[in-house]
Amino acid sequence: MIKILTAISIIVVFSVLLVLKRALSILQEKQYHQAVEHHFFMEVLDKIFNHFLIWTLWKKIFTKTFVILSIMIASLFLYVRFELPIVPKVPNVVINHSDTVLLKRGAYLVENVATCTDCHSPRDVHFYSWPLVDEQKGAGGEFLSKSKGFDFPGESFTPNITPTNLGNWTDGEVYRLLTTGIRKDGSTVYHAMPFMAFSRADPNDIKAIIAYIRTLKPQPKNPASVTKVDYLTTLYNRAISREPSPVYLKDLKTKIDSGRYLVNMAGCNDCHSPKKFGDVFDKEKLLSGGIEFPMPTGGYTHSANLTPDESGLGPWSEEAFVAKFKSYNDAEMIQKIEPGMYSSLMPWYAFRKMTDRDLKSIYAYLRTIKPIYNPVVKFTKQSTKGKVDPE
């Protein structure tokens, strides 16, 4: 859509410039009043500026405004393109890699909350919920790219996060990457890697994640492919704030506080919150679901409405909410998906091992958010994008 609008804008600008060029050439050849008689565009300008406005004044204003705006736009572009982001220094991070408590916390976050390994590992799309391929854990893989029909501004492939790739990174460099999206070489990562969420995490949780991924089995470094993001999106990505604003676990006083923290860490908004434009979440529709995802085995799944509206989690009790996650501990739920069958990319097999306490906290928080009416059909054979349900 952005590309189409950009193309239309360019065509309109060039058309206007051509008309102006023709009008000015007539002005050079004839007196002004003769020009009015010979050119429709000049006649229109004459009626506007000589009958309603003062032409000489507005000509100066228009020219100066055009020049000033052009300079401002060009300066903004150059600033964003070549000066942003402001790369923060590598923090002095000290991690005790033999701390068993830290490693246990890291394993829980990486495998069951932040689900880093789900994004950074090949996943078997022929089984329900796309379980990751354990023997290739952390090896990286294909992300939800435009070529597969996902609403993604380009082609994205997650990198290898095992010691094979991160072995020559310091803990501080990995910490900076996770919380600011800045790589070892100072370049930026696309914000599908949830550094904005991790920037609001407890620093000890980030250290725990780093400690645990250092223990992953080394995987071959060969990437699935190279990430290529649309140009306008790269500019937007450069303009994102890189200033961490950590939330500390000791400050989480209630179940609702803890639930808010966990929803952020788990990236629930990424799949359950509609976007207003580009990659900006619509704050008026947070977690109301309905986002469409094409399934490799056929059909389209739609994310659930997590708000406490009757069309969402309204009828769900705490017990039912927790039981839904725990039901995936049953081996029978890991079923092979035949073409055209209902499937989902929701990482149930990761989230099923979240503690009851954390799941109850998430439920408590979701009960406090704005209720939004949005009945969601979980699975359709055909795409529903652009279709409006009758009232």
Side-chain angles (χ1 to χ4, degrees):
M1 186 62 181
I2 293 176
K3 289 183 178 179
I4 294 174
L5 291 175
T6 302
I8 293 174
S9 300
I10 292 173
I11 292 171
V12 170
V13 169
F14 273 101
S15 299
V16 171
L17 290 175
L18 288 172
V19 172
L20 284 173
K21 181 179 179 182
R22 173 60 179 158
L24 289 172
S25 67
I26 292 176
L27 278 174
Q28 291 173 352
E29 298 171 2
K30 305 177 186 300
Q31 295 296 323
Y32 174 75
H33 291 292
Q34 290 178 313
V36 170
E37 296 175 0
H38 287 80
H39 198 282
F40 174 74
F41 181 74
M42 293 305 299
E43 183 182 356
V44 173
L45 290 181
D46 177 65
K47 289 180 179 179
I48 293 174
F49 291 104
N50 281 337
H51 292 272
F52 299 100
L53 300 170
I54 302 173
W55 165 245
T56 54
L57 173 63
W58 280 94
K59 182 174 67 173
K60 292 179 181 179
I61 293 176
F62 175 80
T63 303
K64 291 179 180 179
T65 302
F66 179 79
V67 171
I68 291 172
L69 285 176
S70 297
I71 293 173
M72 290 176 62
I73 292 172
S75 299
L76 178 62
F77 167 77
L78 292 172
Y79 177 71
V80 172
R81 176 62 183 84
F82 296 104
E83 296 297 326
L84 293 181
I86 299 174
V87 178
K89 293 181 179 180
V90 176
N92 183 22
V93 174
V94 178
I95 299 176
N96 181 358
H97 291 271
S98 61
D99 185 337
T100 55
V101 174
L102 193 70
L103 287 169
K104 183 178 180 181
R105 175 67 175 172
Y108 178 63
L109 292 173
V110 168
E111 303 280 2
N112 308 123
V113 181
T115 61
C116 310
T117 45
D118 263 59
C119 283
H120 288 272
S121 305
R123 293 173 66 180
D124 193 339
V125 300
H126 297 98
F127 285 85
Y128 184 78
S129 187
W130 303 9
L132 63 85
V133 181
D134 279 327
E135 59 270 22
Q136 298 181 54
K137 184 183 295 184
E142 186 173 11
F143 198 61
L144 313 179
S145 61
K146 185 184 296 183
S147 64
K148 301 298 182 182
F150 293 98
D151 187 16
F152 187 87
E155 308 305 324
S156 182
F157 301 87
T158 56
N160 185 327
I161 59 170
T162 71
T164 305
N165 194 33
L166 294 181
N168 63 344
W169 289 52
T170 67
D171 288 339
E173 288 168 341
V174 179
Y175 188 97
R176 183 179 66 172
L177 172 70
L178 292 176
T179 57
T180 69
I182 302 296
R183 296 188 182 92
K184 176 184 175 72
D185 62 3
S187 62
T188 62
V189 298
Y190 175 67
H191 55 280
M193 204 292 283
F195 63 85
M196 290 182 288
F198 293 151
S199 74
R200 299 190 296 274
D202 188 305
N204 283 329
D205 274 352
I206 300 300
K207 292 178 182 179
I209 289 173
I210 295 170
Y212 177 71
I213 62 175
R214 298 289 198 194
T215 69
L216 293 176
K217 177 184 176 181
Q219 297 287 347
K221 193 175 180 179
N222 298 330
S225 190
V226 179
T227 294
K228 296 180 181 179
V229 182
D230 296 346
Y231 188 70
L232 290 178
T233 302
T234 65
L235 294 179
Y236 167 73
N237 192 51
R238 287 176 173 276
I240 294 174
S241 172
R242 306 283 165 165
E243 186 67 32
S245 52
V247 174
Y248 296 89
L249 295 179
K250 62 181 179 60
D251 295 330
L252 305 180
K253 306 299 184 184
T254 66
K255 287 173 65 175
I256 294 172
D257 292 338
S258 296
R260 182 184 297 107
Y261 181 88
L262 290 163
V263 164
N264 175 66
M265 283 289 285
C268 301
N269 278 304
D270 292 339
C271 290
H272 292 273
S273 290
K275 294 174 181 176
K276 185 178 294 184
F277 57 87
D279 279 343
V280 179
F281 292 124
D282 187 344
K283 292 183 179 180
E284 296 301 314
K285 297 180 180 179
L286 286 182
L287 297 172
S288 61
I291 299 175
E292 182 174 277
F293 299 96
M295 296 290 102
T297 48
Y300 299 80
T301 189
H302 306 88
S303 58
N305 180 350
L306 301 183
T307 74
D309 184 80
E310 287 299 306
S311 62
L313 285 182
W316 288 63
S317 66
E318 179 184 79
E319 292 74 16
F321 182 80
V322 174
K324 173 66 175 178
F325 287 83
K326 297 303 179 182
S327 67
Y328 290 93
N329 287 318
D330 185 349
E332 293 183 0
M333 297 296 286
I334 307 177
Q335 56 181 314
K336 188 169 184 179
I337 300 298
E338 300 298 332
M341 285 179 59
Y342 167 61
S343 187
S344 173
L345 51 71
M346 169 77 168
W348 289 111
Y349 303 121
F351 290 150
R352 64 180 172 159
K353 293 185 179 180
M354 289 181 70
T355 65
D356 286 13
R357 178 181 178 180
D358 282 351
L359 289 171
K360 289 177 180 179
S361 293
I362 290 174
Y363 176 83
Y365 167 67
L366 293 177
R367 302 300 293 187
T368 68
I369 64 177
K370 175 185 175 181
I372 299 172
Y373 177 75
N374 185 30
V376 175
V377 178
K378 291 194 297 184
F379 184 76
T380 59
K381 296 289 186 180
Q382 303 297 325
S383 173
T384 61
K385 282 186 177 180
K387 298 180 181 179
V388 180
D389 293 332
E391 294 183 358

